[in-house]
């Protein structure tokens, strides 16, 4: 699939999962009544949890050749390509090889076309780069894991409904997730799963899966500049397609930058082909206090407001059976909660098939 999309990125929520942070503490009353065993057990559990977190950090954060301090506070580690998390997977473990042949790009695709030419990541804005033979990886910190409901759930989406089980999925775009990153910056991200988020998959490079090949893009790092409401708009061109030679699913960012690929061995159905492509936004709603969340989608404005006010996807295309890039046809527009977030599909000779989407979340229109 291919598309360019943009919005007032400071308020974007796309493929966002916000989990409730659970915190355990010993009850002061129990200790006052002689419940010292309870307090001791709580202390032991805390130390055990800290050991679990440190072990997880050692697994995620690999030895670095160079570390770059990003202006937003992120640390970007330049890790040898063959030491990235993907090589923890049993299929690649002990190997030092990635796919060396460049993928066969779809027929009709123009490298460097679309949006994204003016967008960069904050960490590399000053001309910083990682050396050849390395990949830039955003360093995970202890506080990142502590924001999750558990160490096991860190970097993962909540499971999808049972009806969606056994579904392969690969995605990439940009999101805002205070729970995952600790701030409200728009970030370039990826996600994959083979079972509707139940046991497999993760965001970015937080597990073995996606094989990164680029030394220019840090998945999970903040992007800039962002669009302004009623002002200048910026969008990013993304392409995800299956290389007919090796069968891997490649990701291209902006004007011709190959980020890396999801190996075909990760998947069941996607090992052969995809049967559905989805474009759009997503939020996670726990209905706190029995009302809809106030989390915004897109710019926080409804689709009807159009350009410079609502978020959009444009130039929607798919790659067909013979590796040709063609306009996406037979589009079905769905809004699960249209009073909270809506969508309007359109078409013209410049943007091809496109749509506006988004909304404010809880409001007088969305109780």
């Amino acid at each position: 699939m291919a598309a360019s999309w943009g919005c007032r990125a400071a308020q974007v929520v796309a493929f966002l999962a916000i989990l409730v942070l659970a915190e355990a503490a010993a009850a002061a009353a129990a200790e006052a009544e002689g419940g010292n065993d309870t307090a001791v057990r709580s202390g032991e559990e805390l130390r055990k949890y800290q050991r679990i977190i440190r072990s997880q950090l050692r697994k995620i954060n690999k030895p670095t050749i160079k570390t770059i301090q990003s202006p937003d506070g992120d640390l970007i580690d330049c890790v040898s390509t063959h030491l990235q998390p993907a090589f923890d997977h049993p299929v690649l473990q002990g190997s030092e090889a990635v796919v060396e042949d460049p993928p066969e790009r779809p027929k009709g695709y123009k490298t460097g076309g679309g949006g994204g030419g003016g967008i960069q990541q904050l960490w590399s804005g000053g001309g910083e780069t990682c050396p050849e033979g390395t990949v830039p990886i955003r360093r995970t910190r202890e506080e990142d894991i502590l924001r999750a409901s558990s160490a096991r759930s860190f970097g993962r989406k909540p499971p999808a409904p049972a009806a969606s089980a056994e579904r392969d999925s690969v995605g990439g775009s940009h999101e805002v997730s205070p729970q995952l990153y600790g701030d409200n910056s728009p970030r370039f991200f990826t996600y994959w799963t083979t079972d509707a988020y139940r046991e497999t998959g993760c965001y970015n490079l937080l597990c073995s899966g996606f094989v990164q090949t680029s030394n220019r893009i840090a998945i999970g790092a903040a992007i800039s500049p962002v669009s302004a409401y009623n002002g200048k708009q910026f969008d990013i061109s993304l392409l995800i397609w299956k290389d007919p030679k090796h069968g891997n699913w490649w990701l291209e960012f902006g004007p011709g930058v190959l980020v890396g690929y999801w190996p075909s061995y990760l998947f069941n159905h996607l090992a052969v082909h995809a049967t559905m492509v989805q474009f759009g936004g997503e939020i996670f709603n726990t209905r706190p206090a029995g009302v809809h969340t106030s989390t915004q989608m897109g710019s926080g404005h409804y689709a009807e407001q159009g350009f410079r006010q609502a978020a959009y996807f444009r130039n929607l295309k798919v790659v067909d059976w013979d590796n040709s890039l063609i306009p996406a046809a037979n589009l079905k527009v769905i809004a699960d909660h249209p009073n909270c977030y809506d969508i309007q599909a359109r078409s013209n000779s410049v943007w091809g098939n496109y749509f506006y989407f988004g909304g404010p979340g809880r409001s007088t229109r969305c109780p």
Side-chain angles (χ1 to χ4, degrees):
M1 66 177 184
S4 296
W5 75 288
C7 56
R8 190 182 179 192
Q11 297 179 347
V12 173
V13 182
F15 304 104
L16 173 63
I18 298 181
L19 306 179
V20 178
L21 176 63
E23 214 172 77
E31 186 174 359
E33 293 175 3
N36 291 327
D37 288 345
T38 300
V40 169
R41 284 199 302 273
S42 296
E44 290 174 350
E45 290 171 359
L46 177 60
R47 286 190 290 273
K48 180 180 178 181
Y49 191 56
Q50 289 175 331
R51 288 195 295 271
I52 291 172
I53 290 176
R54 288 168 187 157
S55 174
Q56 191 165 352
L57 287 172
R58 286 193 296 270
K59 185 176 181 180
I60 295 173
N61 296 324
K62 304 300 183 180
T64 181
I65 292 176
K66 174 183 177 181
T67 296
I68 298 170
Q69 175 80 55
S70 177
D72 62 351
D74 280 355
L75 293 176
I76 306 299
D77 292 328
C78 301
V79 176
S80 293
T81 300
H82 68 278
L83 293 181
Q84 64 179 293
F87 285 80
D88 292 336
H89 193 281
V91 174
L92 290 182
Q93 212 162 36
S95 170
E96 294 189 7
V98 296
V99 172
E100 297 177 358
D101 297 337
E104 181 183 335
R105 285 187 168 86
K107 304 177 187 72
Y109 177 68
K110 297 179 181 179
T111 302
I119 291 180
Q120 58 188 356
Q121 294 190 300
L122 290 178
W123 71 274
S124 60
E128 289 278 11
T129 60
C130 280
E132 291 292 332
T134 70
V135 294
I137 301 179
R138 178 183 180 270
R139 186 182 300 179
T140 299
R141 304 179 185 184
E142 185 172 331
E143 54 264 34
D144 294 329
I145 300 179
L146 287 173
R147 284 192 301 271
S149 59
S150 69
R152 186 177 183 278
S153 69
F154 171 67
R156 300 178 59 191
K157 286 187 180 185
S164 302
E166 304 302 326
R167 188 178 68 189
D168 290 347
S169 178
V170 174
S173 193
H174 70 274
E175 68 175 348
V176 170
S177 176
Q179 186 271 336
L180 184 59
Y181 304 107
D183 60 27
N184 292 311
S185 298
R187 295 170 178 272
F188 174 61
F189 85 104
T190 62
Y191 200 98
W192 70 274
T193 181
T194 63
D195 57 3
Y197 317 115
R198 297 188 181 281
E199 298 293 336
T200 63
C202 62
Y203 281 99
N204 308 330
L205 302 182
L206 295 177
C207 66
S208 60
F210 187 84
V211 180
Q212 182 157 339
T213 59
S214 172
N215 66 337
R216 298 167 54 188
I217 300 294
I219 303 175
I223 55 177
S224 179
V226 299
S227 301
Y229 182 76
N230 271 335
K232 190 170 182 179
Q233 303 295 293
F234 298 90
D235 56 30
I236 298 173
S237 178
L238 295 173
L239 174 67
I240 299 175
W241 83 105
K242 189 176 180 65
D243 176 25
K245 183 175 181 180
H246 295 286
N248 301 313
W249 289 89
W250 279 84
L251 170 64
E252 182 173 298
F253 175 94
V257 179
L258 289 173
V259 181
Y261 61 92
W262 293 272
S264 60
Y265 60 70
L266 292 175
F267 304 107
N268 301 311
H269 304 296
L270 284 178
V272 182
H273 57 76
T275 56
M276 178 175 62
V277 176
Q278 294 180 325
F279 305 88
E282 189 174 283
I283 61 94
F284 189 63
N285 180 28
T286 59
R287 293 192 65 82
V291 297
H292 196 283
T293 177
S294 59
T295 300
Q296 299 177 342
M297 181 186 293
S299 66
H301 294 266
Y302 292 108
E304 63 201 38
Q305 295 184 242
F307 189 59
R308 291 196 178 91
Q309 296 184 355
Y312 61 86
F313 277 77
R314 64 180 177 92
N315 297 113
L316 304 180
K317 298 181 180 181
V318 296
V319 179
D320 69 4
W321 63 274
D322 73 342
N323 201 36
S324 294
L325 190 63
I326 60 175
N330 302 317
L331 295 175
K332 184 178 181 180
V333 175
I334 300 173
D336 293 335
H337 301 282
N339 289 332
C340 306
Y341 317 101
D342 67 354
I343 180 171
Q344 290 186 4
R346 304 178 186 180
S347 179
N348 63 35
S349 60
V350 179
W351 278 17
N353 293 323
Y354 69 99
F355 62 87
Y356 293 107
F357 72 102
R362 187 172 70 245
S363 64
T364 53
R365 181 168 155 181
C366 171

